[in-house]
Amino acid sequence: MSRATAATGPLPALLAVVSSLVLGAGGLFFGFLLLNVAALALVIAGVDISPTLNIVLSLAFVQGVGCVLVALAYVRNRERVSAAVNDLLGDGGPGVPFSVGFAWPNLRDGAAAVGAYLAAFVGGPMIAGTIAGLLAQSIGAETGQNNAVEIALESPELLLLMIPASILLVGPGEELLFRGVVQGRLREVFGPVASVVLAGTVFAGLHWFALSGGDPAGNLLSLGVLLVPSYVFGASYEYTGNILVPSLAHGLYNATLFTLLYVLIASGVM
């Protein structure tokens, strides 16, 4: 992955930001579209969509198919689309070569993945989560709850499925799209810090649609907590240039949260 910044000016910057939003939202939307088509086909065929099947379909089509296919489609067609846009706008466009960094992890990558996982967990739920909770209490804000958590509270056994799926599907699928493609697209125009921040903000912001209940102020606090791990995953990708590093850190992070949630439910705390 190139570490140089080639394109400057308002037009390349605007195109990069808009395209990153479209790519991030597009991957999730495409996955949800496929999910609804598959669910409709099953209903027509007389199959009952149980909570377990719904989770399986969601993980398979949103993270496993939607995010991955949109990311791969962009990588495959970006040169053609970029040339057409540049010709249309009369702009030279970004000159930094685009690529999604992939390599089998070495010891340095493994250490970076473990470090990112620990930093995300400590900085996110433990520190930022505590601060957000205190702020929400002080201003009387009600924070929303992730839809996956609500489903898990009703059917805790689903967490035993979501734990391995976090490592095998969620981490790789979301990181390929949001770090490999969205952050890589922004990196063509912006410096490393700005690309990490912008891509992480896009990723966290899109989780707004996964929250149920709560008020705007409380949900913003919830998304603020998510910014911490999102920035950490982006920084680990920028540092190593290997998409497997944030994929592993992200997968372990989610798996840990689901494991703790299962333990709390099983022990009667929740």
Side-chain angles (χ1 to χ4, degrees):
M1 175 181 296
S2 173
R3 290 294 186 266
T5 301
T8 58
L11 185 55
L14 178 61
L15 287 175
V17 171
V18 171
S19 61
S20 68
L21 288 169
V22 171
L23 286 166
L28 297 177
F29 176 79
F30 181 56
F32 279 114
L33 179 63
L34 293 176
L35 168 63
N36 288 326
V37 170
L40 178 61
L42 290 174
V43 170
I44 293 175
V47 177
D48 180 44
I49 307 295
S50 65
T52 300
L53 180 57
N54 183 61
I55 287 292
V56 170
L57 292 174
S58 178
L59 292 171
F61 284 104
V62 178
Q63 282 87 4
V65 178
C67 289
V68 172
L69 285 186
V70 167
L72 294 179
Y74 176 77
V75 173
R76 181 180 179 85
N77 297 288
R78 69 167 302 281
E79 293 295 340
R80 187 184 315 123
V81 174
S82 179
V85 171
N86 292 338
D87 289 342
L88 177 65
L89 299 178
D91 180 74
V96 175
F98 175 92
S99 66
V100 177
F102 173 87
W104 293 114
N106 52 30
L107 289 177
R108 174 175 172 269
D109 292 335
V114 173
Y117 158 71
L118 293 174
F121 191 77
V122 173
M126 296 180 68
I127 297 178
T130 300
I131 295 173
L134 292 174
L135 286 174
Q137 186 176 11
S138 67
I139 64 176
E142 182 180 354
T143 57
Q145 190 156 255
N146 191 286
N147 293 327
V149 175
E150 286 197 339
I151 295 174
L153 290 173
E154 297 178 2
S155 304
E157 67 277 3
L158 291 180
L159 290 167
L160 299 178
L161 172 65
M162 297 169 71
I163 291 168
S166 295
I167 299 173
L168 299 175
L169 288 175
V170 178
E174 292 186 348
E175 290 304 306
L176 177 62
L177 178 63
F178 285 95
R179 247 57 68 176
V181 168
V182 172
Q183 186 170 313
R185 173 69 184 98
L186 292 165
R187 190 64 180 85
E188 293 179 299
V189 178
F190 300 98
V193 175
S195 62
V196 168
V197 170
L198 288 171
T201 303
V202 170
F203 176 75
L206 288 173
H207 279 73
W208 179 279
F209 302 101
L211 297 175
S212 60
D215 53 43
N219 288 343
L220 282 175
L221 288 173
S222 296
L223 296 183
V225 175
L226 186 57
L227 286 174
V228 176
S230 186
Y231 293 159
V232 169
F233 300 148
S236 71
Y237 181 51
E238 179 65 31
Y239 174 67
T240 63
N242 187 353
I243 195 62
L244 292 183
V245 171
S247 297
L248 179 58
H250 188 164
L252 290 174
Y253 171 84
N254 280 16
T256 301
L257 293 180
F258 289 135
T259 300
L260 292 175
L261 181 59
Y262 180 79
V263 170
L264 291 175
I265 295 175
S267 61
V269 176
M270 295 185 67

